[in-house]
Amino acid sequence: MQSYINIQNGTVPSVCSLDCPDQCGLLVHKKDGKIVQIEGDPDHPVTQGSICNKVRNMSERLYDHKRIKTPLKRIGQKGEGAFAPISWDEAIETISSRWKKLMAEEGAESILPYSFYGNMGKLSAEGMDRRFFHRLGASRLDQTICSVAGSVGFSYTMGGSFGTDPEEMSETKLFILWGINAVSTNMHQMMIAQKARKNGAKIVVIDVHKNQTGRMADWFIPILPGTDGALALGVMHILYKEKLVDQSFLEEYTVGFKELEEQVEAYEPQSVSALTGVPVEDIYKLARLYGTASPSMIRIGNGLQHHDNGGMIVRTIACLPALTGQWRKKGGGALKSNSGYLAYNTRALQRPELLAQPTRIINMNHLGKALLELEPPIRSLFVYNTNPAVVAPDSNKVRAGLAREDLFTVVHDLFLTETARFADIVLPATSAFENTDLYTSYWHNYLQLQEPVIPPYGESKSNPDVFRLLAQAMGFEEQALKDTDEQLIEQAINHKDNPHFPVITYEELTNKRFVKATNTRVPLNSLKTPSGKIELYSEKMKIDGHPALPTHMPLAEEKDFPFLFVPGPNHNFLNSTFSHNEKHRKLEKAPKLFINHEDAGRLGVENGTTVRLWNHRGECQLTAVVGDHVLPGVVVSQGLWSDEPGEKRLVNSLTPDRLADMGGGAVFFSGRVQVEAIKQVIDDKETGRTVRRKNAQLPTI
């Protein structure tokens, strides 16, 4: 496993570890033992040598002078960021002794691990860490911040995370990119669509924001946030009315098509237009295009599920391909996630039997509430692979919880993040390029192995290494807590219960580098729904407390605030990753707020001025971009920017910590705000007086 590390000069293979659907194959160029260039691997069957700016400039992050080299202990106030270096022995001893004391006095449930997928490697995100905290008996984290609502909704219709194979999309004639800024968050999906367009395919984008993807579409359809399900139902209404449904497919592969026809009778285009902001003529045009173009594919984006009704939105859109019979056509169907094809042996990897008895489960979207209100209280927090002080909803509440003096917090990260500044102990983490790990994409269908290509930076350690050290310090003797990285991967890939998972050994994977799942067409004759068919009507949904048929559910009311606020991703960050790196910040230029020209004119906001947006949770200051990028009544920001001294950029201080309709998901995009132009204080150089001027002009971006 050390061969790539020992190569001082040359090119070695690697894998992108970011939480991105594309999971690119990489080639890493080394000089004098250091990474000097990263490019795409042209031999990768799907990503084929193309990579994004984030990864292309990754070496600047790897060797950033701000990267943590040694363990640190806090010597100042929480949040102040004052730390002193300590040894690993002292760090592990401090953590283990505090935990032993807590377990004896208040029980192991007073300890909470908080993590997500800042590194998508299976060992880094859900391997030895899960084993350790199971054995410890800590409170468990419900990891629901990203994709769970939509995954549950899609599964009600399709029985699991199975969708169109990207490698078949060269045949697609109509791409509907629904609620996804693919250029910035799934670039190879856009590349495939553009390539197919040369052969006559059309690209339609439906979104709340005319972002880069919208601007590259053949047709962009702006829509009001949270009304996508209503638009899908309006399309279904027309498909049934104009006999554009595939009756033979419905009869053979679905249940509930007659009930659905009755249900969508109420969603006539005029009422749908009033809900969605989409003109009546455009609803007819979209339905007729979808009903006649074939094969057609709907790429269902992440943003749709971040609403109060996000699960139902995705469940509803997932019904559309069945109505026109697209699932049995090469290049047809829909794709929300393809993770079902490469579902590995999670039980073998995570070893849930190490948990002696069930412990409480805490939804990660409620971190602030849990730290401030939960009884019995959380007394210790171990954070890794995430930065909740920036990423979690209602972040002012989260930061108030992190500031508790009686909360013993440990953070394992590459940088002194906003969360790490509140920690008592900070542990230096390796980058993915320094680890052994296993990767599975949730878009394409390839399994990939990462072998370390550079040695650990300073004294940094991987997640599995840290939890092996902690297990030893806690006196845990189980072999499962001593397994090597190679053994963990062998256990994860031994999964005979998944008929799509390739039969392969660890040794074979090291030679092949990427291996495809088998039979990557949606298994129409053996879906994992209760009926085994596509469920347009779902009795299970009814039992679970949801409407059995697709239904438009309105967003929760926040009556005091007029603007729907959508804090979307930007092009050069990935959540808070890269937001501290100077190169990526310069590429992104500034944190922006997109506002419709009608609203801007009414509020006296001009392009490039600073605006304040606020609600009862917090406030933020961003630079206005005025135009037709969004519909009236909607404002959209991009990216999770870290606060600079004297600035307020924390958009998640505005987002609600309510839970979505399904799976306990986050509702980042269902909040409301008020907006105003800031009255900035400007010195009048001629008179020496200080005056207040509204709409003080900043450089246009």
Side-chain angles (χ1 to χ4, degrees):
M1 292 300 296
Q2 302 300 308
S3 57
Y4 294 148
I5 291 178
N6 293 332
I7 292 174
Q8 294 296 299
N9 299 284
T11 303
V12 296
S14 188
V15 184
C16 179
S17 66
L18 297 177
D19 187 358
C20 167
D22 299 53
Q23 200 166 94
C24 300
L26 304 177
L27 293 179
V28 173
H29 298 266
K30 297 176 65 178
K31 183 178 181 181
D32 299 328
K34 296 182 72 174
I35 295 174
V36 294
Q37 182 184 353
I38 299 172
E39 63 179 353
D41 184 349
D43 292 331
H44 191 281
V46 181
T47 61
Q48 298 181 347
S50 299
I51 57 173
C52 68
N53 265 343
K54 294 185 276 286
V55 181
R56 187 175 292 108
N57 295 295
M58 179 76 83
S59 59
E60 296 203 20
R61 185 171 189 264
L62 298 176
Y63 301 113
D64 192 316
H65 70 278
K66 298 189 292 291
R67 192 168 166 189
I68 304 168
K69 293 183 178 180
T70 67
L72 305 171
K73 69 175 179 180
R74 178 169 63 90
I75 56 174
Q77 295 297 312
K78 287 201 171 190
E80 182 183 332
F83 292 89
I86 57 174
S87 68
W88 269 101
D89 286 344
E90 182 180 348
I92 295 297
E93 170 58 27
T94 301
I95 298 166
S96 59
S97 61
R98 287 292 294 267
W99 283 356
K100 287 175 183 177
K101 187 172 187 294
L102 277 175
M103 291 169 70
E105 295 177 354
E106 302 193 42
E109 285 185 302
S110 63
I111 302 166
L112 175 68
Y114 194 93
S115 68
F116 205 62
Y117 289 87
N119 182 332
M120 286 294 290
K122 304 310 174 191
L123 273 58
S124 295
E126 51 185 82
M128 191 60 70
D129 57 320
R130 304 295 176 90
R131 295 182 180 197
F132 173 79
F133 286 114
H134 284 149
R135 173 62 179 84
L136 192 72
S139 291
R140 288 172 287 165
L141 187 72
D142 198 5
Q143 292 185 306
T144 57
I145 203 167
C146 184
S147 62
V148 65
S151 295
V152 172
F154 193 88
S155 292
Y156 277 130
T157 302
M158 298 298 299
S161 295
F162 302 98
T164 311
D165 186 340
E167 290 185 281
E168 294 190 357
M169 292 180 193
S170 60
E171 306 287 332
T172 306
K173 294 303 180 186
L174 173 63
F175 292 86
I176 299 180
L177 306 182
W178 204 322
I180 180 172
N181 184 2
V183 171
S184 297
T185 65
N186 190 186
M187 63 174 283
H188 293 90
Q189 177 65 79
M190 195 64 184
M191 291 175 67
I192 289 171
Q194 288 178 301
K195 188 175 180 179
R197 181 157 59 185
K198 294 177 181 178
N199 296 322
K202 297 294 182 185
I203 303 173
V204 176
V205 173
I206 305 171
D207 212 325
V208 301
H209 177 211
K210 194 173 186 179
N211 47 42
Q212 291 192 63
T213 306
R215 294 194 295 272
M216 294 175 69
D218 295 301
W219 182 22
F220 174 71
I221 304 174
I223 189 170
L224 291 171
T227 66
D228 305 85
L231 179 58
L233 288 160
V235 168
M236 293 179 197
H237 174 98
I238 297 167
L239 292 175
Y240 273 111
K241 286 289 185 184
E242 300 192 356
K243 309 299 182 185
L244 293 173
V245 298
D246 186 332
Q247 193 65 31
S248 65
F249 184 91
L250 291 173
E251 291 174 359
E252 184 174 358
Y253 294 111
T254 76
V255 294
F257 60 90
K258 291 181 180 178
E259 293 91 335
L260 181 61
E261 183 175 10
E262 295 174 4
Q263 174 79 347
V264 301
E265 184 71 28
Y267 291 90
E268 45 81 27
Q270 287 75 20
S271 61
V272 169
S273 178
L275 287 169
T276 63
V278 179
V280 170
E281 58 270 24
D282 284 352
I283 299 172
Y284 275 103
K285 179 181 174 183
L286 176 63
R288 289 164 181 166
L289 177 62
Y290 187 70
T292 56
S294 185
S296 63
M297 196 283 298
I298 304 173
R299 178 66 172 100
I300 303 174
N302 215 37
L304 298 172
Q305 65 201 342
H306 288 158
H307 286 293
D308 296 301
N309 56 4
M312 182 60 83
I313 287 175
V314 174
R315 183 274 197 277
T316 302
I317 295 172
C319 293
L320 280 168
L323 266 65
T324 58
Q326 293 303 315
W327 284 117
R328 60 181 169 190
K329 299 174 183 179
K330 188 176 181 182
L335 200 170
K336 195 276 179 187
S337 169
N338 270 338
S339 59
Y341 294 113
L342 284 173
Y344 48 94
N345 195 333
T346 55
R347 288 191 64 84
L349 182 61
Q350 299 177 12
R351 299 293 296 274
E353 70 274 10
L354 290 169
L355 184 66
Q357 59 186 22
T359 56
R360 63 183 176 180
I361 299 173
I362 298 169
N363 188 298
M364 68 186 309
N365 297 305
H366 284 164
L367 178 61
K369 190 179 298 183
L371 291 177
L372 295 174
E373 302 173 14
L374 192 65
E375 291 293 340
I378 296 167
R379 296 296 189 190
S380 182
L381 191 67
F382 192 106
V383 180
Y384 57 105
N385 279 349
T386 189
N387 182 15
V390 173
V391 173
D394 204 350
S395 54
N396 282 337
K397 191 184 294 182
V398 171
R399 292 185 179 202
L402 291 171
R404 278 175 40 202
E405 281 297 329
D406 65 335
L407 179 71
F408 176 65
T409 300
V410 181
V411 173
H412 185 210
D413 210 309
L414 284 74
F415 296 93
L416 199 63
T417 64
E418 292 84 352
T419 304
R421 294 172 69 88
F422 288 91
D424 298 282
I425 298 290
V426 180
L427 305 175
T430 50
S431 73
F433 295 100
E434 299 152 39
N435 297 339
T436 299
D437 222 322
L438 179 71
Y439 290 87
T440 61
S441 169
Y442 50 92
W443 175 65
H444 65 66
N445 295 306
Y446 284 86
L447 180 73
Q448 300 180 82
L449 178 70
Q450 168 71 56
E451 299 175 79
V453 299
I454 53 174
Y457 183 86
E459 297 179 23
S460 61
K461 295 185 184 296
S462 69
N463 285 358
D465 282 344
V466 167
F467 290 111
R468 280 187 281 256
L469 284 174
L470 285 169
Q472 183 179 13
M474 295 298 294
F476 300 156
E477 295 295 333
E478 291 84 353
Q479 178 57 43
L481 299 170
K482 302 175 184 179
D483 285 348
T484 65
D485 293 346
E486 292 83 356
Q487 288 172 321
L488 291 170
I489 292 173
E490 283 278 13
Q491 292 157 18
I493 63 177
N494 181 11
H495 196 29
K496 297 180 177 63
D497 291 340
N498 180 0
H500 304 281
F501 202 91
V503 178
I504 192 167
T505 65
Y506 178 81
E507 184 178 356
E508 290 172 329
L509 193 55
T510 61
N511 294 326
K512 294 184 178 180
R513 289 171 39 208
F514 29 75
V515 181
K516 189 175 183 179
T518 60
N519 190 20
T520 56
R521 299 292 298 276
V522 172
L524 292 173
N525 293 312
S526 57
L527 295 177
K528 295 181 180 179
T529 57
S531 65
K533 295 185 176 185
I534 298 171
E535 298 206 343
L536 307 176
Y537 175 96
S538 170
E539 190 65 28
K540 187 176 189 304
M541 291 188 72
K542 187 176 180 180
I543 293 169
D544 291 346
H546 307 293
L549 288 161
T551 305
H552 170 65
M553 312 287 285
L555 301 182
E557 287 288 332
E558 292 186 352
K559 296 180 180 179
D560 296 334
F561 306 100
F563 288 96
L564 286 159
F565 174 51
V566 177
N570 65 20
H571 193 68
N572 292 291
F573 304 168
L574 204 163
N575 294 322
S576 68
T577 303
F578 303 108
S579 67
H580 305 90
N581 183 268
E582 203 57 42
K583 177 67 173 285
H584 291 83
R585 291 166 68 90
K586 286 180 179 178
L587 288 169
E588 198 58 39
K589 296 182 181 177
K592 307 162 191 171
L593 185 76
F594 294 85
I595 184 169
N596 187 271
H597 57 85
E598 293 180 15
D599 294 323
R602 178 172 50 81
L603 296 171
V605 171
E606 298 177 10
N607 197 53
T609 61
T610 300
V611 293
R612 173 178 175 254
L613 50 158
W614 81 95
N615 57 26
H616 58 285
R617 290 178 285 269
E619 66 175 293
C620 198
Q621 295 177 10
L622 304 173
T623 302
V625 180
V626 178
D628 62 353
H629 309 86
V630 296
L631 292 174
V634 179
V635 289
V636 172
S637 69
Q638 287 191 303
L640 297 179
W641 293 74
S642 57
D643 284 346
E644 296 297 320
E647 295 178 330
K648 296 180 179 179
R649 299 175 165 182
L650 189 61
V651 295
N652 274 327
S653 66
L654 302 165
T655 54
D657 64 357
R658 298 191 303 269
L659 301 182
D661 54 346
M662 297 178 193
V667 297
F668 290 112
F669 296 172
S670 285
R672 285 183 171 269
V673 297
Q674 179 59 278
V675 178
E676 69 174 356
I678 288 182
K679 296 179 180 179
Q680 293 191 334
V681 177
I682 301 176
D683 290 329
D684 189 319
K685 294 181 180 179
E686 293 183 4
T687 65
R689 293 180 301 170
T690 297
V691 297
R692 291 186 179 271
R693 294 180 184 169
K694 195 173 183 180
N695 304 333
Q697 193 77 22
L698 298 177
T700 301
I701 53 175

